[in-house]
Amino acid sequence: MMQFYKKREFGAFITDSFNFFKLYGKNYFKNYILINGLLLILTIAVVIFGFKEIFGQLVGSNMSGESYYFERYFEDNSGMLIVAGILVFVLFILLAIVNYLYPVFYMKRIAEGAQKIKTDEILGDFKRNAGRIFKMGIGMLFIVFPVTMIIVGFSYVLLLIIIGFFLILLVYPTAFNVSAFLMYDYFNAKRGFMESLSYSIRSQFSYPNGNEKSPYWKYWGASIIMFVILYVVSLVFTMVPMVFVYGSVLTSTPDGNFEENPFAGTAGIIFFVFYGISMLASLFLSNLMFINAGLMYYDSRTDLHQKAELEEIETIGINE
C-alpha cells in the first residue's frame, strides 16, 4: 500500500508515480477505459473522419484555379459544420471533464484507504459532485483560462528578446500544477473555488507552516520530466505518419490527384489513424502527469501528514 500524505523529494515524485501504476495500474486503467472508453472512441473517430475532410479541403483549396474554393466549401456546408462543431465542442468538454477528474477521484479513494476501486464508485463520485464540477468548469473557463492565456501570450511576445523562452519553461509547468492542485484541493478539501485557487497558487511556493524550504523547484522539475516523457512518446507516433506522407509525396508519380488532396486515399487514412493513435497515447499518458500532480498535492498538505501517519500506525496494529 502506498502512503500518499507525506513529504517527497524531487526524485520520489517520479518513482512513486510509476510505482502507483505498478500497484494500481490494472484496476486504474480498467475503470478508466470503462468510464472513458466511448468518449475516446468518438474522439478518435472525429479526428480521423472529420479532420481528414477539413484538412483535405484546406490543402486542396485553390489547386484547380478557384480562388475561393475553401471559403465556398464552408459556405455550402455551413449548417452541417455548425452542428458538427457544437457536437465536437460538447464531446471534448465531456472528455476533458472525465480525463482531468478521474485521477482526482481515484486517488482520493486510494488515499482514504481503498484497495480496489469499482467503476460504479467513481461514477458515483461524478454524479454526487455534478454541481461542484459545473462550478469548477465555470471558474476554470472565465478565471483560470483567461489569466493563463494572458501570461502565456506575454511570454510568447518576450520570445523576441530570448527571455520569453525561459519564461515559457517556467509558465507552462507552473500553470499545469496550479490547475491540477486546484482540482485536487476543490474535491479533497471541500473548499470554495476561490479558496482552492488561492491555495493552489500559494502551495507552489511555500508550505502551509511557512518554515520549510519552498517546494516550487521540485514541483516544477517533476512536471517538466513528465512533460518530456509525454512529448517524446507522442512525437514517436506523430513522426510515423508524417514520414509516410512525405515518403508518398517523394516516391509517387505525379498525377494531379495526390497533389490536390494528399490526405485522400490510403495515405490519408494511414496518416490520420496514426494521428488518432498518437492522440490516444497522449490521453493515456496524461494520467501519469495527473498522478504525479496528485502526489505533489498530497506533499503540500503537511497539515494532514501526521494524521495520516497515525492512522497508518493504527491500521498496522489492527492487522497484527
Side-chain angles (χ1 to χ4, degrees), residues 24-253:
Y24 309 106
K26 184 177 180 180
N27 179 251
Y28 181 93
F29 283 113
K30 176 186 175 182
N31 289 322
Y32 179 78
I33 292 172
L34 288 174
I35 294 172
N36 210 22
L38 181 59
L39 287 173
L40 290 173
I41 293 172
L42 290 174
T43 301
I44 300 306
V46 167
V47 169
I48 293 176
F49 297 107
F51 288 177
K52 178 179 179 293
E53 174 67 16
I54 293 177
F55 287 161
Q57 296 294 334
L58 178 63
V59 174
S61 64
N62 300 324
M63 290 298 293
S64 29
E66 300 181 43
S67 57
Y68 297 103
Y69 182 80
F70 189 57
E71 291 84 349
R72 184 180 302 172
Y73 171 79
F74 273 86
E75 290 176 1
D76 294 342
N77 301 276
S78 58
M80 179 194 70
L81 291 172
I82 291 173
V83 174
I86 294 173
L87 291 175
V88 170
F89 177 76
V90 173
L91 174 63
F92 274 83
I93 288 294
L94 292 174
L95 182 67
I97 290 173
V98 175
N99 214 55
Y100 293 160
L101 294 185
Y102 173 76
V104 174
F105 291 140
Y106 190 95
M107 285 193 79
K108 182 176 184 293
R109 285 187 170 273
I110 294 294
E112 290 173 348
Q115 293 294 315
K116 192 172 183 180
I117 312 299
K118 297 180 180 179
T119 305
D120 290 343
E121 293 174 333
I122 300 295
L123 289 174
D125 290 336
F126 276 99
K127 292 177 182 177
R128 281 189 296 274
N129 290 282
R132 291 179 67 82
I133 292 173
F134 178 77
K135 293 177 183 177
M136 187 199 70
I138 296 298
M140 295 286 283
L141 182 62
F142 292 103
I143 299 176
V144 178
F145 182 74
V147 172
T148 301
M149 288 299 98
I150 291 172
I151 296 173
V152 171
F154 180 71
S155 300
Y156 272 108
V157 170
L158 291 180
L159 280 174
L160 298 173
I161 56 174
I162 309 300
I163 193 175
F165 174 77
F166 299 100
L167 281 177
I168 288 172
L169 284 179
L170 292 175
V171 167
Y172 269 113
T174 303
F176 172 80
N177 288 343
V178 169
S179 299
F181 274 48
L182 169 58
M183 288 183 283
Y184 275 99
D185 192 71
Y186 190 61
F187 292 102
N188 278 270
K190 296 297 182 181
R191 287 189 262 248
F193 180 84
M194 295 306 297
E195 291 178 294
S196 290
L197 177 59
S198 174
Y199 175 81
S200 68
I201 295 172
R202 288 184 286 106
S203 61
Q204 301 303 308
F205 303 98
S206 63
Y207 285 106
N209 56 29
N211 298 321
E212 300 176 76
K213 182 181 177 182
S214 171
Y216 178 80
W217 290 111
K218 68 177 182 180
Y219 291 169
W220 176 85
S223 293
I224 279 288
I225 295 297
M226 293 304 176
F227 272 119
V228 170
I229 293 173
L230 178 63
Y231 175 76
V232 170
V233 175
S234 300
L235 185 64
V236 170
F237 285 103
T238 304
M239 289 301 294
V240 171
M242 291 302 296
V243 169
F244 184 85
V245 170
Y246 282 121
S248 299
V249 172
L250 295 174
T251 58
S252 62
T253 303

